[in-house]
Amino acid sequence: MKHLLSASDLTRDDALLILDTAAELATVTDRSVKKLPTLRGRTVVNLFFEDSTRTRISFEVAAKRLSADVINFAAKGSSVSKGESLKDTALTLEAMGADAVVIRHSASGAPHRLAHSDWIQGAVINAGDGTHEHPTQALLDAFTLRQHLRGGAGDLAGLRVAIVGDVLHSRVARSNVTLLRTLGAEVTLVAPPTLMPYGVDGWPCSTSFDIDDVLPSVDAVMMLRVQAERMQAAYFPSAHEYSRRYGIDAARMAVLPEHAIVLHPGPMNRGMEISADVADSPRAVMVEQVANGVSVRMSVLYLLLGGMPDEA
Amino acid sequence: MDSRARTVLDDADIGRAIRRIAHEIVERARGSEDLVLLGIPTRGVALAHRIADAVDAIEGTSVPVGSLDITLYRDDLRLRPARALEPTSIPPEGIDGRVVVLVDDVLYSGRTVRAALDALNDIGRPAAVRLAVLVDRGHRELPIRPDHVGKNLPTSQGEQVRVELAEVDGVDRVTITGDPTADEGAEASS
């Protein structure tokens, strides 16, 4: 594995190796010295063409815990806003000696383009591209599910997970459907017909338009943010109606099985897809997801950069 | 087992070596109160548990045992593909102010022990660190020496020393294979 571009690149064994490594690396957080010398002298560039706080900081913390040097490159206020192309930006980073590029881009496929060009030699990690994929988010969700519902070991065989909300615009949903399936979980997508992607029948999951039908029989429910910034048309009549039909509140929470947990990739729209009392309940694991994100990203950085430089 | 393999320690020898090491550790530490045994995975952890059992038999006290994975501190990480990590578990008592005994199966170049010392440094500040190994095969590349040795085994660099333990391999045995006359360019076996 040289790059991490898509959850579909990962076999079950790859995914388990990443999760097991993350579980070991998570213990570093409890130590007095929260740093490992493993990637000393290596440079990780965070190349963010799209706004992001938690993913960028998470990658930054992960790289720093492994002693890598981190360069943050945000498109706003950089040469990109002056019209520089992805190619020229990449060539610049290559000339500066980047060993890995963590890229977020609004165009689906930008990380793939970067990885399969000869512009850069280093590893490429997809930190979210358009409405396509966000593999490290799926890995941290799988890690969180495994920790809560499978005792922190093995795969997710037989686990039932509902992914609810704006599936159409969600790279998180795409990566999760693929990865959770690879790990043996059964995924149900729940969305209004307008927000269900075209061709979803071909995905390895089931679908539903009715959240109340699905909730009583799941082990975990993952709420998606309504991505207003990607919506160029009216996908639902009003925020209130969306919230009433597809949001999770205390009443719907009560229908969930007792052991079930609620996930959200953040940032949350409280009162929209998730009510405040659900977001603050002990069964909502958002804060753990953030902590696990650091461990999973450390694991990915270690496995891509920790070994022989030219391992294909 | 390789047909040319020579068995240099059998299960009885290994048992005697472990009991002697346990006696030495207790004698050196004047008791077993502040001891912590940390095994280096995989076989060092099994050895650490056996030494702890032997200390228990001598002193009637139970010594905390943990494991210390040194993969992330290795100096040769970039010579091979990224490796899977082994578990690290530090006993709840911690290592601050205690006498830590590192336990490994074979002492060779000393690079593993160097990495273990770095790892300990990030976890706490022991009162002292000692090193116990089942086999010392020589050929040190760093200024490191063991405090407690099961068996000194003069080898050439062309030979491989293999330690097998019942917990991991189903049998207790130390064997040597390879060419005793070769001296340069040989791969390390541990």
Side-chain angles (χ1 to χ4, degrees), chain A residues 44-48 56 59-60 70-74 100-102:
Chain A
V44 175
V45 176
N46 284 329
L47 181 58
F48 277 65
R56 185 183 60 69
F59 268 108
E60 185 171 349
V70 182
I71 298 167
N72 287 313
F73 186 108
V101 176
V102 177

Side-chain angles (χ1 to χ4, degrees), chain B residues 14-153:
Chain B
I14 291 174
R16 279 191 285 272
I18 286 171
R19 281 194 297 280
R20 182 173 48 75
I21 289 173
H23 276 284
E24 285 181 13
I25 289 173
V26 172
E27 188 182 1
R28 177 95 179 253
R30 296 203 171 127
S32 55
E33 269 107 78
D34 291 328
L35 284 175
V36 177
L37 299 178
L38 290 182
I40 298 174
T42 311
R43 290 173 186 79
V45 180
L47 283 172
H49 280 284
R50 291 199 200 181
I51 293 173
D53 290 345
V55 170
D56 189 7
I58 300 161
E59 292 281 294
T61 53
S62 78
V63 178
V65 181
S67 68
L68 182 67
D69 180 44
I70 54 98
T71 307
L72 295 163
Y73 292 85
R74 295 185 76 101
D75 60 6
D76 60 350
L77 278 173
R78 288 167 74 177
L79 302 179
R80 294 193 222 170
R83 301 156 212 243
L85 304 185
E86 303 285 342
T88 292
S89 65
I90 303 300
E93 297 87 345
I95 62 168
D96 288 333
R98 290 175 159 260
V99 176
V100 171
V101 182
L102 292 171
V103 183
D104 203 0
D105 51 357
V106 181
L107 179 60
Y108 186 22
S109 66
R111 289 174 191 266
T112 302
V113 177
R114 197 277 313 160
L117 291 171
D118 282 355
L120 277 185
N121 204 25
D122 285 353
I123 292 168
R125 187 180 184 281
V129 182
R130 313 220 194 279
L131 175 61
V133 296
L134 184 60
V135 173
D136 180 358
R137 61 166 297 189
H139 304 290
R140 214 79 73 237
E141 293 164 4
L142 294 170
I144 280 169
R145 57 154 184 79
D147 298 278
H148 312 289
V149 182
K151 176 141 181 94
N152 281 297
L153 212 55

